[in-house]
Amino acid sequence: FFQKTLTAVKNWFTLFGWSKGQNPISIPYSLRRDVCKVQMTSSQEKVFKQNLGKDTKTVYDMLFHLSGQLLPGVTSSQLLPLDPVERMLQLHRQHSALLAFLKSQGAYLPHVMPEFLLEPDDYKKWIKVQTVVKVDVKTSDIFSNKHLFILEDSIFETMSKRAWTDVLLQVYKVFVLPRVSSRSITDLFSLESVQNMPRIKSEPLSSNIYSPYERTILTWLNKHYEKNRRTVWKDCQKGEVPPMRWIVNFDRDLLDGLVLAAQLAAYCPYLIATHFVRMYTTPRTPEHFLHNCLILVNAMHAVGLAIGIKV
């Protein structure tokens, strides 16, 4: 499940996360590496400067493209100290600023520590520094041992991959999902056929799982499924018209492919006769679910919506 999520995140941000076209990324390797790319600015100067050439894009460029905001305290000409430890500490501060910025925008990342976003070698330096007792009062906060996680190499890589994936998912949630228009949300249940269905509340505090924008999408899914289920499957070959259902999540309620097929049929009704009539309307076995999802994927391919779609 996590690997499929990572693949979907990587594909979306590769295609749409950057200005001026696609920018292939790997999670977490390119995200960690590109933030840390440096070059000597002068043989006399004891500082390194980030190499932000034409072909180098960082997570900060991606944030600016998606949000229109610069990360507070971090610029494209950020200077990094020559000393490896000082350089690592500055990168840690930048990652801390990144997480604080995302949280201020509504991201939920309590489990992601700044050190999880570092390169493995920098993480080792961070652990080494944290375990050294410091006397200097001015640096006591920096070297506090509070919430210190000492991870083995393989565990750190797993944690770093998960941390970067979750960061990108939250970036999508706070900067992309809000673009979903809610202007017509009050009209979504105006049809007589859906007036008796339970409502999904859009108030910010009505759910501790889904944001208002995600609940808007759930409302949209409910509306189109109930509106189209009788039309799409009135001539179905493998069962009767599917029953009414209340769609309240993005995993279990979408597993059989019927809800997503109803959405696609709302915009591409010509796919009904060629694809959707062959779906199981009351699937009960894994084979039935797979059959439906294969038909749905083929339908998406037919209309050019084949961006990283796998079953």
Side-chain angles (χ1 to χ4, degrees):
F1 172 80
F2 288 123
Q3 185 59 45
K4 290 181 179 180
T5 301
L6 184 147
T7 301
V9 170
K10 181 182 69 174
N11 289 344
W12 192 93
F13 278 91
T14 290
L15 293 170
F16 308 114
W18 313 86
S19 62
K20 300 180 181 179
Q22 302 179 16
N23 180 48
I25 66 169
S26 58
I27 303 173
Y29 310 108
S30 69
L31 297 173
R32 297 186 312 204
R33 180 189 67 239
D34 292 345
V35 169
C36 303
K37 277 187 176 179
V38 294
Q39 65 179 3
M40 185 79 75
T41 58
S42 171
S43 58
Q44 290 79 25
E45 294 177 357
K46 293 184 178 181
V47 292
F48 281 160
K49 184 178 181 180
Q50 285 181 327
N51 176 20
L52 298 177
K54 294 181 179 179
D55 299 327
T56 304
K57 297 180 180 179
T58 72
V59 66
Y60 309 125
D61 298 311
M62 179 262 291
L63 280 176
F64 181 72
H65 171 64
L66 295 177
S67 70
Q69 303 179 60
L70 294 171
L71 191 66
V74 179
T75 66
S76 59
S77 58
Q78 188 75 44
L79 295 178
L80 294 177
L82 176 63
D83 180 77
V85 174
E86 292 299 324
R87 174 174 166 271
M88 175 274 296
L89 290 174
Q90 179 160 321
L91 287 171
H92 189 275
R93 286 191 289 270
Q94 290 179 200
H95 291 323
S96 298
L98 169 65
L99 294 175
F101 172 70
L102 293 177
K103 290 176 183 177
S104 71
Q105 302 298 312
Y108 186 74
L109 295 165
H111 59 294
V112 177
M113 304 297 174
E115 53 267 29
F116 297 159
L117 305 179
L118 294 169
E119 288 272 25
D121 289 342
D122 285 335
Y123 173 74
K124 293 177 182 178
K125 294 185 183 76
W126 169 256
I127 293 299
K128 184 177 181 179
V129 167
Q130 293 296 303
T131 55
V132 175
V133 178
K134 294 295 181 178
V135 180
D136 189 346
V137 177
K138 295 182 180 179
T139 58
S140 61
D141 291 337
I142 297 177
F143 296 99
S144 170
N145 288 327
K146 185 179 180 181
H147 303 308
L148 180 62
F149 295 91
I150 302 178
L151 306 175
E152 297 179 0
D153 292 351
S154 60
I155 300 299
F156 171 76
E157 282 294 346
T158 300
M159 184 67 76
S160 184
K161 182 180 295 185
R162 175 67 184 271
W164 275 108
T165 301
D166 288 348
V167 165
L168 293 181
L169 283 170
Q170 292 299 307
V171 167
Y172 184 88
K173 185 184 82 170
V174 299
F175 295 128
V176 180
L177 275 185
R179 300 175 189 172
V180 177
S181 174
S182 60
R183 289 178 298 176
S184 60
I185 188 171
T186 56
D187 299 327
L188 289 179
F189 284 95
S190 60
L191 297 173
E192 182 179 356
S193 60
V194 296
Q195 284 179 351
N196 296 325
M197 288 187 64
R199 301 293 189 266
I200 294 176
K201 296 181 179 180
S202 60
E203 290 80 4
L205 299 180
S206 63
S207 173
N208 62 350
I209 299 176
Y210 294 130
S211 69
Y213 310 105
E214 291 168 309
R215 295 198 294 278
T216 298
I217 294 176
L218 287 174
T219 300
W220 172 72
L221 291 173
N222 276 284
K223 177 242 184 178
H224 279 302
Y225 175 76
E226 183 55 29
K227 176 184 177 182
N228 295 318
R229 64 186 177 90
R230 293 183 179 86
T231 302
V232 176
W233 291 288
K234 65 179 181 180
D235 299 319
C236 59
Q237 302 171 3
K238 299 181 181 295
E240 302 175 346
V241 172
M244 176 186 289
R245 67 170 72 174
W246 191 29
I247 303 153
V248 295
N249 59 63
F250 292 102
D251 43 21
R252 180 168 298 181
D253 289 337
L254 305 184
L255 280 178
D256 60 11
L258 296 175
V259 174
L260 292 178
Q263 315 310 308
L264 193 54
Y267 301 97
C268 306
Y270 51 84
L271 293 172
I272 296 175
T274 58
H275 292 77
F276 300 144
V277 294
R278 295 183 285 113
M279 299 177 76
Y280 286 98
T281 54
T282 54
R284 295 184 176 87
T285 67
E287 290 76 16
H288 291 171
F289 281 62
L290 177 61
H291 173 88
N292 284 359
C293 290
L294 287 174
I295 290 178
L296 180 62
V297 170
N298 288 335
M300 290 183 175
H301 278 271
V303 294
L305 293 177
I307 302 175
I309 300 174
K310 295 181 180 180
V311 176

